[in-house]
Amino acid sequence: MTQRLDGKRIAFVATDGVEAVELSEPWTALTEAGAIPTLISIDAGRIQGFDHLTPSETFDVDKTVLHAHAEDYDALVLPGGVANPDRLRTDPHIVEFVRAAVELGRPVGVICHGPWTLVSAGVLKGRRITSWPSLQDDLVNAGADWVDEEVVVDTSGAGVLVSSRNPGDLPVFTATIVDQFATAA
């Protein structure tokens, strides 16, 4: 039976360079489960998605981070793409929003290069996580236990942390975040 997320508010944090399928597929799965997703970004307008290194679809920003508050959301999704988290992690407002969500115990779904933002937020010490392989050193240096697995569910911190490696993991990643977000307090 599919888990229901009726009325749960999910913050997607992304900017230009986001891997489009890592935003759109979790968005669709969470919406179909009854969640209310919101795209939060650095700037208003639209962000440019990519299919690896090729520009693809664009996405409307619902709210800028300056007008978003972590306590207003039930969960957080951090899609990847190389440029997306690289830019997000340099914005102090994004980093504080992500840190606050984690410290509030909100469940987090993160995929591919998305964990870079968690590194900059300083919230990975002692957490078990996976990612795109090139992030392994960054995550280990941030105190995380990095593993190469399709999906990892870590419950050792304030809230559940669900991570996956790449777009090929999206089917299991989306099913797992729906399940974990539905069962989170």
Side-chain angles (χ1 to χ4, degrees), residues 95-144:
V95 170
E96 182 51 38
F97 180 88
V98 169
R99 180 182 303 116
V102 172
E103 289 175 352
L104 287 166
R106 301 304 194 251
V108 176
V110 61
I111 187 167
C112 197
H113 288 78
W116 266 340
T117 309
L118 295 171
V119 168
S120 295
V123 296
L124 290 177
K125 189 167 183 64
R127 303 299 300 260
R128 189 167 182 266
I129 192 168
T130 194
S131 68
W132 186 259
S134 66
L135 274 65
Q136 178 180 357
D137 290 346
D138 296 325
L139 296 170
V140 168
N141 289 336

Side-chain angles (χ1 to χ4, degrees), residues 127-128 153-161 180:
R127 303 299 300 260
R128 189 167 182 266
V153 177
D154 178 90
T155 58
S156 67
V160 67
L161 175 62
Q180 292 296 319

Side-chain angles (χ1 to χ4, degrees), residues 63-69 72-73:
K63 191 176 280 195
T64 66
V65 69
L66 293 176
H67 296 100
H69 306 284
D72 294 339
Y73 298 92

Side-chain angles (χ1 to χ4, degrees), residues 19-108:
E19 187 71 28
V21 296
E22 294 176 1
L23 173 63
S24 63
E25 288 190 22
W27 184 287
T28 298
L30 291 164
T31 301
E32 288 175 353
I36 304 166
T38 301
L39 179 55
I40 298 168
S41 193
I42 298 167
D43 299 311
R46 297 179 67 77
I47 61 172
Q48 179 65 59
F50 279 75
D51 179 8
H52 303 290
L53 299 175
T54 304
S56 63
E57 62 190 296
T58 59
F59 302 93
D60 291 324
V61 172
D62 296 310
K63 191 176 280 195
T64 66
V65 69
L66 293 176
H67 296 100
H69 306 284
E71 60 271 11
D72 294 339
Y73 298 92
D74 299 300
L76 174 66
V77 177
L78 296 169
V82 177
N84 168 52
D86 192 56
R87 180 158 182 232
L88 291 175
R89 71 189 305 200
T90 64
D91 185 285
H93 304 290
I94 292 286
V95 170
E96 182 51 38
F97 180 88
V98 169
R99 180 182 303 116
V102 172
E103 289 175 352
L104 287 166
R106 301 304 194 251
V108 176

